[in-house]
Amino acid sequence: MAAATLCIVDALSFLEARRVVLEQVRGSRTVPTVEIIRLEEAAGRVLAEAAMADRDYPPAPRSMRDGFAVRAADLPGTLTIVGEVRAGQAVDCRVEPGEAVEIMTGASVPDGADAVVMIEHTQVAGTRVDVPKALEMGANVNPRGRDALAGSLILDAGCRMGYAEIALLASIGQAEVAVYRRPRVAILATGDELVEVDVVPEPHQIRNSNSWSLAAQVMRAGGEAVVLPVAADELETTKELIAEGLDCDLLLLSGGVSAGKYDLVETALASFGAEIYFDRVRIQPGQPCVFGQAKGTFFFGLPGNPASTMVCFEVFARAALELLGGQTEPLLAITQAQLKAAFRQKPGLTRFLPARLDAAGLVTAVGWSGSGDIAAVTRANAYLVSDPEKEEYAAGEWIGVMAR
Ligand code: AMP
Ligand code: MG
């Protein structure tokens, strides 16, 4: 049997491990296949072709307020109202010295005018408008081409599309959009104790939930989940299913990566000539997390306890999936919030503990019985991310927070 090549022996810190994932996947990924989809299907997909402005934005100087288009040099003063422009109306008037044109937000500013005075800052009497205060040239006017010039780059390939990106593509007339094919992600749960969701388990059995959480996480990260049957803790079946999984773009295994006698995942992977970049990370939950490559496919061996599987996916596997899907910048959104109560830990590990961020922006760890406590994760809307070097946090102190 071929031995797995373990490149790094010691447990890595969280940031070191994350850097290894990013470097390895960035270093060897290829550009994914491109497909054309309709704009309404684009949410969550990764843009494959840069988008250019089809004309100047705005295409004509545009009023940012309801009010009067004026010449700044005339102010303060009383002006003659010579016309009106509404949004969506072609302009058919000009502003000469001493004149004003009534204008609505979004309407094109007529020639001759160089500013818009807000309606609230005027007094209208018949065909005259009095403007008591001076105004800077250009006030309340968005000049032609200020947001984008025709032909300029407005959206780079490799961005994951959300509502703002979709609005931008709609504004430049892209009813269809080129996106990268979703990466196919194989999910392989291992463990003799596991039964499927529709089976009533015996007292010594549990239902497989990791394949379900992982499939949901994969889909949320822009991948296509390929759920394989559960592998028993037996070498030959595990190898057969790993072989199937390695045909996908990424393989996620759960369970079987601890030091137990029946933790066979690394041995099974070794028979495929796997290169293992790390197999321990100083985090909790999720210490025995494996990352490597076999037959040109990256894999993660995620520890089987449900919260460990979930956290290791979010902080490591998700980045690999996003990069494989053509995304330029995988984002790990860890921000800071103030603790509602004091928090103590044994130093040494970066902890990702289920937590609640309240409406006032304060964060509290949710009580849990450990990394098997799925219900505690459902009570959390975030993870509290601790500094491995710090033993004590006082109430009100800042601590890392990652959205769930
Ligand atoms: P392992 O990492 O294989 O030692 O698994 C640790 C523990 O995680 C097991 O004892 C199970 O309680 C739990 N576990 C493992 N795999 C799954 C799974 N697919 N779904 C739910 N729980 C699991
Ligand atoms: Mg197991």
Side-chain angles (χ1 to χ4, degrees):
M1 185 197 298
T5 318
L6 179 59
C7 304
I8 294 153
V9 183
D10 289 336
L12 300 186
S13 73
F14 165 61
L15 287 176
E16 286 164 343
R18 174 133 176 128
R19 192 172 335 115
V20 167
V21 172
L22 297 180
E23 279 175 13
Q24 288 296 336
V25 182
R26 276 215 174 95
S28 70
R29 68 180 165 153
T30 51
V31 180
T33 318
V34 175
E35 57 192 40
I36 307 293
I37 60 167
R38 298 195 49 77
L39 187 59
E40 56 262 41
E41 292 158 356
R45 302 299 300 267
V46 179
L47 188 64
E49 278 172 13
M52 311 294 176
D54 60 325
R55 57 177 182 165
D56 290 344
Y57 285 88
R62 173 177 297 175
S63 176
M64 291 152 72
R65 300 288 180 186
D66 293 323
F68 289 89
V70 296
R71 293 169 171 256
D74 285 347
L75 304 187
T78 302
L79 309 169
T80 307
I81 303 168
V82 295
E84 179 195 272
V85 205
R86 300 159 53 167
Q89 184 189 356
V91 186
D92 60 356
C93 54
R94 266 191 71 81
V95 175
E96 300 293 349
E99 293 179 352
V101 165
E102 192 170 7
I103 194 161
M104 315 302 153
T105 302
S108 300
V109 176
D111 284 346
D114 55 24
V116 168
V117 56
M118 287 164 67
I119 189 87
E120 294 88 340
H121 299 165
T122 65
Q123 275 176 332
V124 179
T127 59
R128 306 280 286 166
V129 55
D130 183 49
V131 186
K133 280 194 184 154
L135 202 60
E136 268 174 40
M137 241 169 88
N140 301 318
V141 176
N142 198 13
R144 174 175 179 162
R146 200 233 225 123
D147 298 342
L149 292 173
S152 67
L153 175 81
I154 53 168
L155 205 53
D156 240 328
C159 72
R160 183 134 192 246
M161 284 179 282
Y163 53 85
E165 289 77 11
I166 289 172
L168 196 57
L169 293 175
S171 74
I172 63 166
Q174 286 213 8
E176 291 189 327
V177 45
V179 295
Y180 292 126
R181 181 178 64 78
R182 294 180 198 276
R184 297 181 73 237
V185 182
I187 294 171
L188 175 53
T190 72
D192 281 341
E193 72 278 33
L194 302 177
V195 297
E196 288 305 350
V197 65
D198 52 359
V199 172
V200 179
E202 300 289 335
H204 55 279
Q205 295 177 320
I206 56 169
R207 294 192 183 92
N208 167 22
S209 63
N210 287 348
S211 295
W212 296 80
S213 52
L214 284 173
Q217 288 175 291
V218 162
M219 284 189 275
R220 187 171 80 159
E224 186 191 319
V226 180
V227 180
L228 299 174
V230 170
D233 291 320
E234 187 273 314
L235 200 54
E236 283 314 309
T237 18
T238 306
K239 278 161 61 175
E240 276 167 32
L241 288 165
I242 287 177
E244 240 181 89
L246 290 175
D247 283 341
C248 286
D249 300 303
L250 179 66
L251 167 61
L252 304 178
L253 297 117
S254 97
V257 291
S258 304
K261 189 169 165 192
Y262 298 101
D263 289 326
L264 302 167
V265 162
E266 281 182 270
T267 313
L269 286 163
S271 67
F272 294 90
E275 205 175 339
I276 290 178
Y277 305 118
F278 59 76
D279 69 353
R280 267 191 100 68
V281 188
R282 296 195 298 275
I283 62 171
Q284 195 218 8
Q287 265 196 84
C289 181
V290 179
F291 170 56
Q293 186 176 177
K295 299 197 171 304
T297 302
F298 288 106
F299 59 78
F300 287 86
L302 308 169
N305 267 312
S308 310
T309 311
M310 293 172 192
V311 165
C312 287
F313 178 88
E314 285 304 314
V315 301
F316 298 126
R318 179 175 182 159
L321 191 168
E322 290 178 346
L323 287 172
L324 292 169
Q327 221 172 297
T328 319
E329 215 43 72
L331 181 70
L332 183 70
I334 297 180
T335 173
Q336 298 268 316
Q338 281 177 291
L339 278 164
K340 197 166 179 175
F343 172 75
R344 284 183 70 89
Q345 64 170 3
K346 195 162 157 264
L349 304 175
T350 303
R351 291 192 165 73
F352 294 88
L353 301 178
R356 270 207 85 77
L357 190 62
D358 68 20
L362 295 173
V363 67
T364 326
V366 164
W368 74 336
S369 67
S371 51
D373 194 350
I374 306 176
V377 185
T378 68
R379 290 195 298 272
N381 59 6
Y383 295 98
L384 187 155
V385 186
S386 73
D387 175 346
E389 323 238 290
K390 215 167 143 70
E391 193 163 350
E392 271 192 59
Y393 288 82
E397 224 179 308
W398 294 87
I399 193 165
V401 173
M402 180 174 86
R404 176 169 83 75

